[in-house]
Amino acid sequence: MAEPKLLSTQQIAEHNTAKDLWIVVDGQVWDMTEFAPEHPGGIGIILQYAGQDASRPYNEVHAPSLLNKTLTSSKLVGTLDTSTISDDWAKPPPQENPKVQLKNEKPPLFTLLSTHDFEAVAEKTLAPKTWAFYSSAATDLVTHKANQTLFDRIWFRPRVLRNIKTRDTRARIMGQEVELPIMCSPAAMAKLVHPDGEKAIARGCQNKGIIQCVSTNASFPIDDIAGALSPTQGDPPPIFFQLYVSKTRSNSEALLHQVWDLGIRTVFLTVDSPLAGKREADERVRMDDDQQGIPMMTGAGKPMNDKRGGGLGRLTGSFIDEALDWSDLPWLRRHWKGRVVLKGVMCAEDASRAAAEGLEGIVLSNHGGRNLDTSPPAILILLDLQLNAPHVFERLEVYVDGGIRRGTDILKAICLGATAVSLGRPFLYSLNYGPEGVEYLIDMLKDELSVAMALVGITSLDQAHPGLVNTNDLDYLVPTTEGHPYARKRRRPLRAKI
């Protein structure tokens, strides 16, 4: 095999337009001309580094192996001749602001006592754009807030004089035993929080005996994340995979086959996000005012906001197929032989349809309040199922995702029929401390759950039942019919032209 061609900085710098675009990553020179327009985050960030060294922004959000796996070998045009590097070459592009160095702002991990503490630290120490991306929710944040506050309106009905000396928080999720009934929700680009991103989450979750659901938009390829785990003894890895179906179906098909080959046997199909909601906090933080090497930028020249703002959440989903519907489930079954869970069910009618379609599970979720504001809070959807579609609990597993912040929240959901719950933002905020933070969060939630079980009067989760909670403060919010109880669609008569 021939040695890669040595290229000088002057030669590389000549390829600096959208029609002839080279970049350098870790000493390798890549021709990005064809790929750049298809980049999920837009051509802007690639064009910003056209004819230059893009190693730093690339490595802040991508796995080192991603270019070799994404592009063909023909796109590797050579290697950088380091003897030609000058001071001018080494300078960052003029549009890029220097990164703010945060020193001694994170308190010691052992001083954090709750998920709220992790959130408070994240708000102060994450890059502003990263914080805006993860913390933001749709428009007036009504659903985002209600996801949490409705849990506070459910009261326990504890039983006393029970022997609660020994308690067991273990559960089973899709046939896999876990140390407590929680999962790490899929979230995009965790490398924005920590260099090891989803790999650090994977290690933390495995060490504490819970399952991570990996996003299609993860910072690392799924095989890199799976490779960060310790080998399992004949069992499936403690990973599920979340799928956004691509407009180019062949891309999703290839991804599903790759996931299967890794031994992963459960896919979560996200159905509540055919497009992103209006997340104003994310839109307001201008990307060109807060450069952190984030690749999800748009624009033809420099990383400018478009006329709608600078929403990273909006820009990451441009590849998602908005035409996906129930009739596509047979397509998914042809290319995935494992279990399928619908993520984003928000009413009893769709839960019943999922059961009738033979799906193995559903996630009751409004996407963390990030898409349709005033969509129902997750715990309210669980009550909707109990009243209007109780049969689904016998036919598939039901998970609650949204607003879980305490061990008491976990127990309330389990009492009301959930198989398990899923948390997103708390895991991202705990990742601020690396895998140790993830493990610390899980231990914290396990302790809170165990204490709540003891004080309610149960010693294992199979003893949880609806009689242990009082939902009277929410019951009037639960729909009682499929349609509106009294309002009817009225056809307005056409007025004659005068």
Side-chain angles (χ1 to χ4, degrees), residues 75-305:
K75 301 303 179 185
L76 179 59
V77 294
T79 59
L80 172 64
D81 183 350
T82 56
S83 67
T84 65
I85 295 177
S86 63
D87 291 341
D88 286 341
W89 167 269
K91 286 181 181 179
Q95 300 99 320
E96 182 173 318
N97 296 332
K99 181 185 288 188
V100 176
Q101 295 297 320
L102 301 168
K103 297 181 179 179
N104 302 319
E105 293 195 23
K106 284 191 292 190
L109 181 58
F110 71 86
T111 65
L112 276 58
L113 299 178
S114 69
T115 61
H116 303 295
D117 289 348
F118 274 113
E119 183 172 356
V121 173
E123 183 176 10
K124 293 178 180 178
T125 60
L126 294 181
K129 186 60 189 176
T130 301
W131 168 254
F133 175 47
Y134 287 130
S135 65
S136 60
T139 53
D140 296 314
L141 314 185
V142 175
T143 293
H144 172 56
K145 295 173 182 176
N147 274 339
Q148 296 184 45
T149 58
L150 260 64
F151 275 100
D152 298 337
R153 295 171 61 183
I154 298 174
W155 301 89
F156 282 117
R157 302 180 68 235
R159 306 296 195 264
V160 297
L161 290 176
R162 305 291 178 92
N163 181 352
I164 47 82
K165 185 176 181 180
T166 303
R167 297 175 300 284
D168 186 358
T169 63
R170 289 177 299 174
R172 296 190 74 83
I173 298 175
M174 287 290 145
Q176 295 180 231
E177 185 171 293
V178 291
E179 288 300 310
L180 65 164
I182 71 172
M183 290 180 285
C184 174
S185 302
M189 299 181 297
K191 198 174 180 183
L192 293 173
V193 179
H194 186 275
D196 286 341
E198 294 82 5
K199 295 193 293 185
I201 296 176
R203 288 191 291 266
C205 288
Q206 183 181 41
N207 289 343
K208 292 300 177 179
I210 72 166
I211 293 173
Q212 173 196 20
C213 190
V214 175
S215 171
T216 296
N217 287 335
S219 311
F220 295 91
I222 182 63
D223 51 342
D224 285 7
I225 299 169
L229 297 171
S230 300
T232 54
Q233 301 298 323
D235 297 322
I239 286 180
F240 297 153
F241 184 73
Q242 174 268 335
L243 177 68
Y244 285 121
V245 175
S246 172
K247 295 171 184 175
T248 306
R249 289 293 176 89
S250 59
N251 292 345
S252 293
E253 292 165 7
L255 185 56
L256 287 170
H257 296 153
Q258 180 185 7
V259 169
W260 180 266
D261 289 343
L262 292 170
I264 299 168
R265 294 296 179 259
T266 301
V267 156
F268 281 50
L269 175 65
T270 293
V271 294
D272 59 0
S273 300
L275 46 80
K278 183 185 180 187
R279 305 168 193 173
E280 294 177 5
D282 190 18
E283 298 285 2
R284 284 195 178 101
V285 180
R286 298 177 63 86
M287 294 187 211
D288 51 339
D289 288 340
D290 176 40
Q291 286 296 330
Q292 298 296 328
I294 299 172
M296 301 300 178
M297 299 179 185
T298 186
K302 57 182 180 178
M304 297 286 291
N305 302 282

Side-chain angles (χ1 to χ4, degrees), residues 109-113 118 435-444:
L109 181 58
F110 71 86
T111 65
L112 276 58
L113 299 178
F118 274 113
E436 296 80 8
V438 174
E439 294 184 30
Y440 190 88
L441 171 69
I442 297 169
D443 284 339
M444 178 190 297

Side-chain angles (χ1 to χ4, degrees), residues 7 166 225 254 285 339 398 412 449 461:
L7 297 167
T166 303
I225 299 169
V285 180
R339 294 175 286 266
V398 177
K412 289 172 184 178
L449 174 60
L461 294 173

